[in-house]
Short mmCIF file of all heavy atoms in Angstrom, two decimals:
data_model
loop_
_atom_site.label_atom_id
_atom_site.label_comp_id
_atom_site.label_asym_id
_atom_site.label_seq_id
_atom_site.Cartn_x
_atom_site.Cartn_y
_atom_site.Cartn_z
N MET A 1347 0.87 -1.20 0.03
CA MET A 1347 0.04 -0.03 -0.03
C MET A 1347 0.87 1.19 0.03
O MET A 1347 0.61 2.15 -0.64
CB MET A 1347 -0.86 -0.12 1.19
CG MET A 1347 -2.00 1.11 1.30
SD MET A 1347 -3.07 0.99 -0.15
CE MET A 1347 -3.84 2.65 0.04
N SER A 1348 1.94 1.22 0.76
CA SER A 1348 2.82 2.42 0.78
C SER A 1348 3.57 2.66 -0.38
O SER A 1348 3.87 3.74 -0.84
CB SER A 1348 3.82 2.31 1.99
OG SER A 1348 4.55 1.24 1.76
N LYS A 1349 3.72 1.50 -1.18
CA LYS A 1349 4.42 1.68 -2.44
C LYS A 1349 3.53 2.42 -3.45
O LYS A 1349 4.01 3.28 -4.24
CB LYS A 1349 4.76 0.27 -2.95
CG LYS A 1349 6.08 0.11 -3.62
CD LYS A 1349 6.34 -1.37 -3.93
CE LYS A 1349 7.84 -1.44 -4.52
NZ LYS A 1349 8.10 -2.79 -4.87
N ILE A 1350 2.16 2.08 -3.47
CA ILE A 1350 1.29 2.92 -4.39
C ILE A 1350 1.25 4.42 -4.00
O ILE A 1350 1.26 5.17 -4.79
CB ILE A 1350 -0.14 2.25 -4.20
CG1 ILE A 1350 -0.14 0.88 -4.61
CG2 ILE A 1350 -1.15 3.08 -4.98
CD1 ILE A 1350 -1.27 0.13 -4.29
N ILE A 1351 1.22 4.72 -2.62
CA ILE A 1351 1.22 6.15 -2.29
C ILE A 1351 2.46 6.75 -2.76
O ILE A 1351 2.54 7.90 -3.23
CB ILE A 1351 1.05 6.28 -0.81
CG1 ILE A 1351 -0.34 5.75 -0.42
CG2 ILE A 1351 1.21 7.70 -0.26
CD1 ILE A 1351 -0.53 5.56 1.08
N ALA A 1352 3.68 6.16 -2.57
CA ALA A 1352 4.98 6.63 -3.08
C ALA A 1352 4.92 7.02 -4.57
O ALA A 1352 5.34 7.99 -5.10
CB ALA A 1352 5.99 5.68 -2.79
N TRP A 1353 4.32 5.93 -5.40
CA TRP A 1353 4.19 6.29 -6.74
C TRP A 1353 3.30 7.37 -7.06
O TRP A 1353 3.70 8.18 -7.98
CB TRP A 1353 3.68 4.97 -7.57
CG TRP A 1353 4.69 3.98 -7.81
CD1 TRP A 1353 4.94 2.78 -7.35
CD2 TRP A 1353 5.73 4.20 -8.87
NE1 TRP A 1353 6.03 2.17 -7.88
CE2 TRP A 1353 6.57 3.13 -8.83
CE3 TRP A 1353 5.98 5.24 -9.83
CZ2 TRP A 1353 7.64 3.01 -9.78
CZ3 TRP A 1353 7.01 5.15 -10.69
CH2 TRP A 1353 7.90 3.96 -10.70
N LEU A 1354 2.13 7.62 -6.34
CA LEU A 1354 1.32 8.64 -6.65
C LEU A 1354 2.02 10.00 -6.30
O LEU A 1354 1.85 10.99 -7.18
CB LEU A 1354 0.04 8.42 -5.70
CG LEU A 1354 -1.00 7.48 -6.17
CD1 LEU A 1354 -2.12 7.35 -5.19
CD2 LEU A 1354 -1.56 7.92 -7.67
N ILE A 1355 2.62 10.00 -5.20
CA ILE A 1355 3.46 11.21 -4.90
C ILE A 1355 4.53 11.64 -5.99
O ILE A 1355 4.53 12.79 -6.51
CB ILE A 1355 4.09 11.15 -3.49
CG1 ILE A 1355 2.95 11.06 -2.46
CG2 ILE A 1355 5.09 12.22 -3.27
CD1 ILE A 1355 3.56 10.75 -1.07
N LEU A 1356 5.06 10.54 -6.50
CA LEU A 1356 6.06 10.71 -7.61
C LEU A 1356 5.43 11.28 -8.91
O LEU A 1356 6.02 12.25 -9.41
CB LEU A 1356 6.85 9.38 -7.79
CG LEU A 1356 8.03 9.42 -8.74
CD1 LEU A 1356 9.23 10.20 -7.88
CD2 LEU A 1356 8.50 8.16 -9.23
N ILE A 1357 4.33 10.77 -9.17
CA ILE A 1357 3.74 11.19 -10.49
C ILE A 1357 3.24 12.62 -10.21
O ILE A 1357 3.31 13.42 -11.13
CB ILE A 1357 2.52 10.31 -10.74
CG1 ILE A 1357 2.94 8.87 -11.07
CG2 ILE A 1357 1.51 10.92 -11.65
CD1 ILE A 1357 1.86 7.86 -11.10
N PHE A 1358 2.69 12.93 -9.04
CA PHE A 1358 2.36 14.36 -8.82
C PHE A 1358 3.46 15.33 -8.92
O PHE A 1358 3.34 16.45 -9.47
CB PHE A 1358 1.67 14.47 -7.36
CG PHE A 1358 0.14 14.23 -7.44
CD1 PHE A 1358 -0.41 13.16 -6.80
CD2 PHE A 1358 -0.85 15.10 -8.11
CE1 PHE A 1358 -1.69 12.92 -6.74
CE2 PHE A 1358 -2.13 14.74 -8.25
CZ PHE A 1358 -2.63 13.68 -7.46
N ILE A 1359 4.58 14.97 -8.43
CA ILE A 1359 5.80 15.81 -8.41
C ILE A 1359 6.12 16.06 -9.91
O ILE A 1359 6.54 17.10 -10.36
CB ILE A 1359 6.98 15.12 -7.66
CG1 ILE A 1359 6.67 15.36 -6.10
CG2 ILE A 1359 8.30 15.80 -7.87
CD1 ILE A 1359 7.62 14.45 -5.23
N VAL A 1360 6.20 14.90 -10.65
CA VAL A 1360 6.64 15.00 -12.18
C VAL A 1360 5.55 15.91 -12.87
O VAL A 1360 5.90 16.86 -13.64
CB VAL A 1360 6.59 13.66 -12.79
CG1 VAL A 1360 6.84 13.70 -14.31
CG2 VAL A 1360 7.81 12.93 -12.23
N LEU A 1361 4.29 15.83 -12.63
CA LEU A 1361 3.34 16.59 -13.22
C LEU A 1361 3.51 18.01 -12.89
O LEU A 1361 3.41 18.99 -13.75
CB LEU A 1361 1.89 16.09 -12.90
CG LEU A 1361 1.46 14.87 -13.63
CD1 LEU A 1361 -0.04 14.52 -13.04
CD2 LEU A 1361 1.39 14.99 -15.11
N PHE A 1362 3.78 18.23 -11.56
CA PHE A 1362 3.99 19.60 -11.04
C PHE A 1362 5.13 20.24 -11.73
O PHE A 1362 5.10 21.51 -12.17
CB PHE A 1362 4.08 19.57 -9.53
CG PHE A 1362 4.21 21.03 -8.94
CD1 PHE A 1362 3.11 21.76 -8.78
CD2 PHE A 1362 5.33 21.51 -8.54
CE1 PHE A 1362 3.09 23.01 -8.33
CE2 PHE A 1362 5.47 22.73 -7.94
CZ PHE A 1362 4.30 23.53 -7.80
N ALA A 1363 6.18 19.45 -11.93
CA ALA A 1363 7.47 19.96 -12.47
C ALA A 1363 7.17 20.40 -13.95
O ALA A 1363 7.54 21.42 -14.50
CB ALA A 1363 8.64 19.01 -12.42
N LEU A 1364 6.49 19.50 -14.64
CA LEU A 1364 6.31 19.75 -16.10
C LEU A 1364 5.28 20.98 -16.23
O LEU A 1364 5.55 21.91 -17.15
CB LEU A 1364 5.45 18.60 -16.74
CG LEU A 1364 6.31 17.38 -16.98
CD1 LEU A 1364 5.42 16.22 -17.41
CD2 LEU A 1364 7.31 17.72 -18.01
N ARG A 1365 4.37 21.23 -15.31
CA ARG A 1365 3.61 22.45 -15.30
C ARG A 1365 4.32 23.60 -15.06
O ARG A 1365 4.08 24.65 -15.79
CB ARG A 1365 2.47 22.23 -14.27
CG ARG A 1365 1.25 23.18 -14.33
CD ARG A 1365 0.23 22.93 -13.44
NE ARG A 1365 -0.50 24.13 -13.01
CZ ARG A 1365 -1.54 24.57 -13.68
NH1 ARG A 1365 -1.91 23.80 -14.81
NH2 ARG A 1365 -2.06 25.66 -13.48
N MET A 1366 5.23 23.60 -14.14
CA MET A 1366 6.05 24.74 -13.87
C MET A 1366 6.91 25.14 -15.16
O MET A 1366 7.14 26.35 -15.46
CB MET A 1366 7.10 24.52 -12.67
CG MET A 1366 6.37 24.54 -11.30
SD MET A 1366 5.91 26.28 -11.03
CE MET A 1366 4.16 26.10 -10.90
N ILE A 1367 7.41 24.09 -15.75
CA ILE A 1367 8.38 24.30 -17.01
C ILE A 1367 7.49 24.97 -18.12
O ILE A 1367 7.83 25.97 -18.78
CB ILE A 1367 8.92 23.05 -17.49
CG1 ILE A 1367 10.06 22.61 -16.41
CG2 ILE A 1367 9.67 23.27 -18.86
CD1 ILE A 1367 10.48 21.26 -16.68
N GLY A 1368 6.12 24.54 -18.23
CA GLY A 1368 5.30 25.06 -19.24
C GLY A 1368 4.97 26.48 -18.99
O GLY A 1368 4.76 27.41 -19.82
N LEU A 1369 4.74 26.80 -17.75
CA LEU A 1369 4.27 28.02 -17.23
C LEU A 1369 5.48 29.12 -17.65
O LEU A 1369 5.28 30.25 -18.12
CB LEU A 1369 3.88 28.19 -15.92
CG LEU A 1369 2.50 27.97 -15.51
CD1 LEU A 1369 2.32 27.96 -13.89
CD2 LEU A 1369 1.57 28.87 -16.06
N ARG A 1370 6.75 28.74 -17.38
CA ARG A 1370 7.84 29.54 -17.34
C ARG A 1370 7.96 29.78 -18.98
O ARG A 1370 8.32 30.94 -19.39
CB ARG A 1370 9.11 28.95 -16.81
CG ARG A 1370 10.19 29.94 -16.73
CD ARG A 1370 11.56 29.32 -16.34
NE ARG A 1370 11.48 28.40 -15.27
CZ ARG A 1370 12.47 27.50 -14.95
NH1 ARG A 1370 13.51 27.36 -15.80
NH2 ARG A 1370 12.43 26.69 -13.94
N ASN A 1371 7.91 28.81 -19.78
CA ASN A 1371 8.04 28.94 -21.27
C ASN A 1371 6.97 29.89 -21.73
O ASN A 1371 7.28 30.82 -22.57
CB ASN A 1371 7.93 27.57 -22.05
CG ASN A 1371 9.22 26.88 -21.67
OD1 ASN A 1371 10.24 27.29 -21.40
ND2 ASN A 1371 9.13 25.54 -22.17
N ALA A 1372 5.66 29.78 -21.34
CA ALA A 1372 4.70 30.66 -21.84
C ALA A 1372 5.06 32.12 -21.39
O ALA A 1372 4.75 33.03 -22.04
CB ALA A 1372 3.34 30.14 -21.20
N ARG A 1373 5.49 32.32 -20.17
CA ARG A 1373 5.76 33.63 -19.66
C ARG A 1373 6.87 34.24 -20.59
O ARG A 1373 6.86 35.41 -20.83
CB ARG A 1373 6.13 33.66 -18.22
CG ARG A 1373 5.83 34.94 -17.48
CD ARG A 1373 6.10 34.83 -15.93
NE ARG A 1373 5.14 33.80 -15.44
CZ ARG A 1373 5.37 33.30 -14.27
NH1 ARG A 1373 6.60 33.33 -13.61
NH2 ARG A 1373 4.50 32.32 -13.76
N LYS A 1374 7.95 33.38 -20.81
CA LYS A 1374 8.98 33.97 -21.71
C LYS A 1374 8.52 34.36 -22.95
O LYS A 1374 9.01 35.47 -23.58
CB LYS A 1374 10.12 32.89 -21.71
CG LYS A 1374 11.48 33.40 -21.94
CD LYS A 1374 12.37 32.29 -22.38
CE LYS A 1374 12.90 31.42 -21.38
NZ LYS A 1374 13.76 30.26 -22.02
N ARG A 1375 7.69 33.54 -23.60
CA ARG A 1375 7.15 33.82 -24.85
C ARG A 1375 6.37 35.09 -24.98
O ARG A 1375 6.49 35.94 -25.78
CB ARG A 1375 6.15 32.74 -25.38
CG ARG A 1375 6.91 31.81 -26.41
CD ARG A 1375 5.82 30.98 -27.20
NE ARG A 1375 4.97 30.31 -26.38
CZ ARG A 1375 5.12 29.05 -25.81
NH1 ARG A 1375 6.25 28.48 -26.11
NH2 ARG A 1375 4.23 28.48 -25.12
N ARG A 1376 5.53 35.41 -23.87
CA ARG A 1376 4.72 36.53 -23.79
C ARG A 1376 5.62 37.78 -23.60
O ARG A 1376 5.28 38.91 -24.13
CB ARG A 1376 3.86 36.44 -22.53
CG ARG A 1376 2.50 37.25 -22.80
CD ARG A 1376 1.66 36.99 -21.61
NE ARG A 1376 1.38 35.61 -21.33
CZ ARG A 1376 1.04 35.15 -20.13
NH1 ARG A 1376 0.97 35.85 -19.13
NH2 ARG A 1376 0.87 33.89 -19.98
N ALA A 1377 6.80 37.66 -22.87
CA ALA A 1377 7.56 38.72 -22.63
C ALA A 1377 8.35 39.18 -23.87
O ALA A 1377 8.78 40.31 -24.13
CB ALA A 1377 8.69 38.44 -21.47
N GLU A 1378 8.60 38.27 -24.77
CA GLU A 1378 9.40 38.54 -25.99
C GLU A 1378 8.60 39.18 -27.15
O GLU A 1378 9.00 39.85 -27.88
CB GLU A 1378 9.93 37.25 -26.57
CG GLU A 1378 11.22 36.66 -25.86
CD GLU A 1378 11.52 35.30 -26.17
OE1 GLU A 1378 10.91 34.69 -27.06
OE2 GLU A 1378 12.55 34.77 -25.71
N THR A 1379 7.17 38.99 -27.02
CA THR A 1379 6.32 39.58 -28.16
C THR A 1379 6.24 41.11 -27.76
O THR A 1379 6.09 41.55 -26.69
CB THR A 1379 5.03 39.01 -28.02
OG1 THR A 1379 4.42 38.93 -26.60
CG2 THR A 1379 4.90 37.62 -28.68
N PRO A 1380 6.32 41.81 -28.74
CA PRO A 1380 6.26 43.42 -28.46
C PRO A 1380 4.82 43.78 -28.11
O PRO A 1380 3.88 43.23 -28.41
CB PRO A 1380 6.53 43.93 -29.95
CG PRO A 1380 6.36 42.92 -30.87
CD PRO A 1380 6.51 41.72 -30.17
N PRO A 1381 4.61 44.87 -27.27
CA PRO A 1381 3.42 45.19 -26.82
C PRO A 1381 2.31 45.69 -27.78
O PRO A 1381 1.17 45.70 -27.65
CB PRO A 1381 3.63 46.42 -25.69
CG PRO A 1381 5.11 46.84 -26.18
CD PRO A 1381 5.70 45.73 -26.88
N ASN A 1382 2.87 46.21 -29.02
CA ASN A 1382 1.97 46.62 -30.02
C ASN A 1382 1.41 45.45 -30.91
O ASN A 1382 0.75 45.75 -31.90
CB ASN A 1382 2.71 47.70 -31.08
CG ASN A 1382 2.68 48.92 -30.35
OD1 ASN A 1382 1.77 49.44 -29.65
ND2 ASN A 1382 3.67 49.85 -30.72
N ASP A 1383 1.72 44.32 -30.46
CA ASP A 1383 1.43 43.10 -31.34
C ASP A 1383 -0.17 42.93 -31.42
O ASP A 1383 -0.65 42.46 -32.44
CB ASP A 1383 1.95 41.93 -30.77
CG ASP A 1383 2.09 40.71 -31.73
OD1 ASP A 1383 2.42 41.09 -32.92
OD2 ASP A 1383 2.01 39.61 -31.42
N LYS A 1384 -0.89 43.36 -30.36
CA LYS A 1384 -2.40 43.19 -30.29
C LYS A 1384 -3.06 43.92 -31.32
O LYS A 1384 -3.97 43.53 -32.19
CB LYS A 1384 -2.95 43.53 -28.93
CG LYS A 1384 -3.39 42.36 -28.24
CD LYS A 1384 -3.97 42.78 -26.83
CE LYS A 1384 -2.85 42.79 -25.74
NZ LYS A 1384 -3.26 43.31 -24.55
N SER A 1385 -2.66 45.39 -31.51
CA SER A 1385 -3.44 46.21 -32.37
C SER A 1385 -2.98 46.01 -33.87
O SER A 1385 -3.78 46.25 -34.83
CB SER A 1385 -3.25 47.59 -32.06
OG SER A 1385 -1.89 47.84 -32.03
N GLY A 1386 -1.77 45.51 -33.99
CA GLY A 1386 -1.15 45.23 -35.39
C GLY A 1386 -0.52 46.42 -35.88
O GLY A 1386 0.75 46.32 -36.27
N ALA A 1387 -1.12 47.66 -35.95
CA ALA A 1387 -0.44 48.71 -36.54
C ALA A 1387 0.30 49.54 -35.47
O ALA A 1387 -0.28 49.79 -34.38
CB ALA A 1387 -1.58 49.75 -37.09
N PRO A 1388 1.56 49.92 -35.69
CA PRO A 1388 2.33 50.55 -34.62
C PRO A 1388 1.81 52.04 -34.70
O PRO A 1388 1.50 52.65 -35.72
CB PRO A 1388 3.75 50.47 -35.34
CG PRO A 1388 3.61 50.34 -36.76
CD PRO A 1388 2.37 49.56 -36.86
N MET A 1389 1.74 52.46 -33.32
CA MET A 1389 1.29 53.85 -33.24
C MET A 1389 2.41 54.80 -33.03
O MET A 1389 3.42 54.51 -32.46
CB MET A 1389 0.42 53.93 -31.89
CG MET A 1389 -0.79 52.88 -31.80
SD MET A 1389 -2.01 53.31 -32.97
CE MET A 1389 -2.86 54.48 -32.10
N VAL A 1390 2.22 56.09 -33.57
CA VAL A 1390 3.13 57.04 -33.39
C VAL A 1390 2.48 58.31 -32.74
O VAL A 1390 1.28 58.48 -32.88
CB VAL A 1390 3.72 57.38 -34.81
CG1 VAL A 1390 4.61 56.26 -35.31
CG2 VAL A 1390 2.70 57.78 -35.78
N ARG A 1391 3.26 59.22 -32.32
CA ARG A 1391 2.71 60.56 -31.60
C ARG A 1391 3.03 61.64 -32.55
O ARG A 1391 4.11 61.88 -33.10
CB ARG A 1391 3.46 60.62 -30.36
CG ARG A 1391 2.82 61.75 -29.52
CD ARG A 1391 3.22 61.58 -28.01
NE ARG A 1391 2.59 62.37 -27.12
CZ ARG A 1391 2.94 63.54 -26.60
NH1 ARG A 1391 4.21 63.81 -26.88
NH2 ARG A 1391 2.25 64.30 -25.84
N CYS A 1392 1.96 62.41 -32.82
CA CYS A 1392 2.17 63.60 -33.66
C CYS A 1392 2.99 64.65 -32.73
O CYS A 1392 2.69 64.91 -31.61
CB CYS A 1392 0.77 64.24 -33.88
SG CYS A 1392 0.92 65.90 -34.74
N ILE A 1393 4.02 65.24 -33.39
CA ILE A 1393 4.88 66.15 -32.68
C ILE A 1393 4.39 67.49 -32.69
O ILE A 1393 4.77 68.26 -31.82
CB ILE A 1393 6.32 66.26 -33.43
CG1 ILE A 1393 6.21 66.75 -34.98
CG2 ILE A 1393 7.02 64.92 -33.29
CD1 ILE A 1393 7.43 67.11 -35.55
N ARG A 1394 3.30 67.80 -33.33
CA ARG A 1394 2.58 69.07 -33.33
C ARG A 1394 1.49 69.21 -32.22
O ARG A 1394 1.35 70.02 -31.34
CB ARG A 1394 1.90 69.46 -34.55
CG ARG A 1394 2.98 69.31 -35.81
CD ARG A 1394 3.73 70.74 -35.89
NE ARG A 1394 4.80 70.54 -36.89
CZ ARG A 1394 5.40 71.41 -37.59
NH1 ARG A 1394 4.82 72.61 -37.56
NH2 ARG A 1394 6.33 71.28 -38.31
N CYS A 1395 0.56 68.10 -32.17
CA CYS A 1395 -0.70 68.26 -31.29
C CYS A 1395 -0.53 67.10 -30.31
O CYS A 1395 -1.47 67.20 -29.39
CB CYS A 1395 -1.92 68.21 -32.11
SG CYS A 1395 -2.16 66.65 -33.04
N GLY A 1396 0.28 66.17 -30.40
CA GLY A 1396 0.41 65.11 -29.43
C GLY A 1396 -0.47 64.10 -29.61
O GLY A 1396 -0.56 63.16 -28.66
N VAL A 1397 -1.30 63.93 -30.61
CA VAL A 1397 -2.34 62.86 -30.74
C VAL A 1397 -1.54 61.65 -31.23
O VAL A 1397 -0.70 61.70 -32.04
CB VAL A 1397 -3.40 63.31 -31.84
CG1 VAL A 1397 -4.09 62.10 -32.37
CG2 VAL A 1397 -4.20 64.31 -31.15
N PHE A 1398 -1.99 60.49 -30.67
CA PHE A 1398 -1.40 59.19 -31.14
C PHE A 1398 -2.27 58.66 -32.37
O PHE A 1398 -3.50 58.76 -32.27
CB PHE A 1398 -1.47 58.15 -30.01
CG PHE A 1398 -0.38 58.35 -28.98
CD1 PHE A 1398 -0.56 59.13 -27.92
CD2 PHE A 1398 0.77 57.74 -29.18
CE1 PHE A 1398 0.38 59.33 -27.01
CE2 PHE A 1398 1.81 57.88 -28.27
CZ PHE A 1398 1.59 58.72 -27.19
N LEU A 1399 -1.64 58.22 -33.44
CA LEU A 1399 -2.33 57.76 -34.45
C LEU A 1399 -1.49 56.62 -35.19
O LEU A 1399 -0.30 56.54 -35.01
CB LEU A 1399 -2.66 58.80 -35.41
CG LEU A 1399 -1.42 59.51 -36.29
CD1 LEU A 1399 -2.00 60.18 -37.46
CD2 LEU A 1399 -0.68 60.46 -35.32
N PRO A 1400 -2.24 55.72 -35.96
CA PRO A 1400 -1.42 54.70 -36.69
C PRO A 1400 -0.41 55.38 -37.59
O PRO A 1400 -0.57 56.29 -38.14
CB PRO A 1400 -2.46 53.92 -37.48
CG PRO A 1400 -3.76 54.26 -36.69
CD PRO A 1400 -3.57 55.61 -36.19
N ARG A 1401 0.73 54.57 -37.71
CA ARG A 1401 1.93 55.16 -38.47
C ARG A 1401 1.48 55.29 -39.96
O ARG A 1401 2.00 56.09 -40.69
CB ARG A 1401 3.12 54.26 -38.34
CG ARG A 1401 4.33 54.97 -38.79
CD ARG A 1401 5.60 54.16 -38.28
NE ARG A 1401 5.73 53.02 -39.01
CZ ARG A 1401 6.69 52.08 -38.55
NH1 ARG A 1401 7.35 52.32 -37.51
NH2 ARG A 1401 6.72 50.94 -39.15
N ALA A 1402 0.57 54.46 -40.47
CA ALA A 1402 0.01 54.47 -41.68
C ALA A 1402 -0.75 55.84 -42.09
O ALA A 1402 -0.77 56.40 -43.16
CB ALA A 1402 -0.78 53.34 -42.13
N ASP A 1403 -1.28 56.41 -41.00
CA ASP A 1403 -2.13 57.60 -41.16
C ASP A 1403 -1.23 58.84 -40.97
O ASP A 1403 -1.75 59.95 -41.02
CB ASP A 1403 -3.43 57.56 -40.32
CG ASP A 1403 -4.31 56.52 -40.61
OD1 ASP A 1403 -4.21 55.96 -41.68
OD2 ASP A 1403 -5.12 56.20 -39.74
N ALA A 1404 0.00 58.64 -40.52
CA ALA A 1404 0.86 59.80 -40.21
C ALA A 1404 1.68 60.14 -41.14
O ALA A 1404 2.04 59.28 -42.09
CB ALA A 1404 1.66 59.45 -38.84
N ALA A 1405 2.15 61.39 -41.32
CA ALA A 1405 3.10 61.89 -42.26
C ALA A 1405 4.40 62.06 -41.73
O ALA A 1405 4.53 62.61 -40.48
CB ALA A 1405 2.61 63.29 -42.91
N LYS A 1406 5.51 61.51 -42.35
CA LYS A 1406 6.85 61.60 -41.69
C LYS A 1406 7.28 63.06 -41.99
O LYS A 1406 7.39 63.59 -43.04
CB LYS A 1406 7.75 60.72 -42.35
CG LYS A 1406 9.20 60.48 -41.89
CD LYS A 1406 9.16 59.35 -40.94
CE LYS A 1406 10.64 59.26 -40.39
NZ LYS A 1406 11.07 60.23 -39.39
N VAL A 1407 7.61 63.75 -40.89
CA VAL A 1407 8.20 65.06 -41.05
C VAL A 1407 9.57 65.08 -40.26
O VAL A 1407 9.89 64.11 -39.68
CB VAL A 1407 7.31 66.17 -40.38
CG1 VAL A 1407 5.91 66.26 -41.05
CG2 VAL A 1407 7.06 65.82 -38.87
N SER A 1408 10.31 66.17 -40.47
CA SER A 1408 11.59 66.22 -39.72
C SER A 1408 11.40 66.14 -38.22
O SER A 1408 10.64 67.12 -37.74
CB SER A 1408 12.41 67.46 -40.13
OG SER A 1408 11.63 68.66 -39.82
N GLY A 1409 12.14 65.26 -37.61
CA GLY A 1409 11.85 65.11 -36.09
C GLY A 1409 10.86 64.26 -35.62
O GLY A 1409 10.75 63.97 -34.37
N GLY A 1410 9.94 63.68 -36.53
CA GLY A 1410 9.07 62.70 -36.03
C GLY A 1410 7.92 62.58 -37.05
O GLY A 1410 8.06 62.49 -38.24
N TYR A 1411 6.64 62.35 -36.49
CA TYR A 1411 5.45 62.14 -37.26
C TYR A 1411 4.57 63.32 -36.96
O TYR A 1411 4.52 63.88 -35.92
CB TYR A 1411 4.85 60.94 -36.91
CG TYR A 1411 5.77 59.61 -37.47
CD1 TYR A 1411 6.69 59.08 -36.61
CD2 TYR A 1411 5.74 59.15 -38.75
CE1 TYR A 1411 7.41 58.06 -36.98
CE2 TYR A 1411 6.40 58.10 -39.14
CZ TYR A 1411 7.26 57.58 -38.31
OH TYR A 1411 8.05 56.56 -38.76
N ALA A 1412 3.50 63.47 -37.93
CA ALA A 1412 2.61 64.57 -37.70
C ALA A 1412 1.23 64.01 -38.44
O ALA A 1412 1.29 63.20 -39.22
CB ALA A 1412 2.94 65.97 -38.40
N CYS A 1413 0.15 64.42 -37.97
CA CYS A 1413 -1.12 64.10 -38.57
C CYS A 1413 -1.12 64.46 -39.98
O CYS A 1413 -0.80 65.60 -40.40
CB CYS A 1413 -2.28 64.89 -37.95
SG CYS A 1413 -2.39 64.75 -36.02
N ALA A 1414 -1.46 63.35 -40.86
CA ALA A 1414 -1.40 63.67 -42.33
C ALA A 1414 -2.56 64.48 -42.91
O ALA A 1414 -2.50 65.09 -43.92
CB ALA A 1414 -1.40 62.33 -43.01
N ASP A 1415 -3.68 64.42 -42.19
CA ASP A 1415 -4.91 65.06 -42.75
C ASP A 1415 -5.17 66.53 -42.13
O ASP A 1415 -5.89 67.27 -42.73
CB ASP A 1415 -6.12 64.14 -42.38
CG ASP A 1415 -6.20 63.87 -40.91
OD1 ASP A 1415 -5.32 64.02 -40.11
OD2 ASP A 1415 -7.33 63.43 -40.48
N GLY A 1416 -4.62 66.67 -41.01
CA GLY A 1416 -4.95 68.04 -40.40
C GLY A 1416 -4.04 69.14 -40.64
O GLY A 1416 -3.35 69.14 -41.72
N GLN A 1417 -4.07 70.24 -39.70
CA GLN A 1417 -3.17 71.31 -39.87
C GLN A 1417 -1.72 71.18 -39.38
O GLN A 1417 -0.96 72.02 -39.32
CB GLN A 1417 -3.80 72.57 -39.22
CG GLN A 1417 -3.79 72.43 -37.78
CD GLN A 1417 -4.98 71.58 -37.16
OE1 GLN A 1417 -5.72 70.91 -37.90
NE2 GLN A 1417 -5.07 71.56 -35.85
N CYS A 1418 -1.42 69.82 -38.97
CA CYS A 1418 -0.18 69.54 -38.29
C CYS A 1418 0.89 69.46 -39.33
O CYS A 1418 2.13 69.64 -39.01
CB CYS A 1418 -0.31 68.36 -37.46
SG CYS A 1418 -1.48 68.49 -36.07
N VAL A 1419 0.65 69.07 -40.61
CA VAL A 1419 1.66 68.79 -41.64
C VAL A 1419 2.18 70.26 -42.05
O VAL A 1419 1.49 70.98 -42.50
CB VAL A 1419 1.15 68.05 -42.75
CG1 VAL A 1419 2.33 67.90 -43.79
CG2 VAL A 1419 0.80 66.62 -42.27
N PRO A 1420 3.41 70.44 -41.89
CA PRO A 1420 4.00 71.80 -42.42
C PRO A 1420 3.96 71.82 -43.85
O PRO A 1420 4.26 70.82 -44.55
CB PRO A 1420 5.36 71.72 -41.87
CG PRO A 1420 5.80 70.35 -41.61
CD PRO A 1420 4.47 69.67 -41.27
N ARG A 1421 3.59 72.97 -44.42
CA ARG A 1421 3.44 73.09 -45.94
C ARG A 1421 4.56 73.93 -46.35
O ARG A 1421 5.02 75.00 -45.69
CB ARG A 1421 2.03 73.60 -46.39
CG ARG A 1421 1.03 72.55 -46.10
CD ARG A 1421 -0.32 73.17 -46.37
NE ARG A 1421 -1.33 72.48 -45.37
CZ ARG A 1421 -1.96 71.43 -45.58
NH1 ARG A 1421 -1.49 70.72 -46.65
NH2 ARG A 1421 -2.84 70.98 -44.75
ZN1 ZN B 1547 -1.33 66.54 -35.08
#
């Protein structure tokens, strides 16, 4: 009977160790992914008015990005 209990404890320890290794790998993977991965489009900040907008909608100006549609783009 004590042999069965010892085996059960051993199995539990092995399962616990595997779970810990899996958790550590998942946490490492999550830390490696960039924070902008969820939205897809990288956000930039307009240097004129400070509004955040997708980089595809922004105009590249000297020193950073500006709103492409508004009065922020220097002409
Ligand atoms: Zn702007």
Side-chain angles (χ1 to χ4, degrees):
M1347 185 63 191
S1348 62
K1349 226 175 185 180
I1350 296 170
I1351 292 170
W1353 270 110
L1354 283 175
I1355 291 170
L1356 189 73
I1357 289 166
F1358 272 116
I1359 289 170
V1360 169
L1361 286 176
F1362 186 75
L1364 286 175
R1365 196 179 154 81
M1366 283 292 117
I1367 291 168
L1369 273 178
R1370 199 195 299 165
N1371 284 346
R1373 205 172 298 158
K1374 207 198 287 176
R1375 256 198 308 274
R1376 207 177 309 150
E1378 280 167 3
T1379 51
N1382 275 336
D1383 204 36
K1384 249 182 269 171
S1385 62
M1389 303 294 279
V1390 294
R1391 190 163 188 257
C1392 174
I1393 58 168
R1394 304 274 167 151
C1395 61
V1397 163
F1398 283 93
L1399 69 162
R1401 198 164 66 193
D1403 295 343
K1406 186 100 176 68
V1407 296
S1408 60
Y1411 292 92
C1413 308
D1415 54 346
Q1417 68 280 6
C1418 297
V1419 175
R1421 292 171 214 279

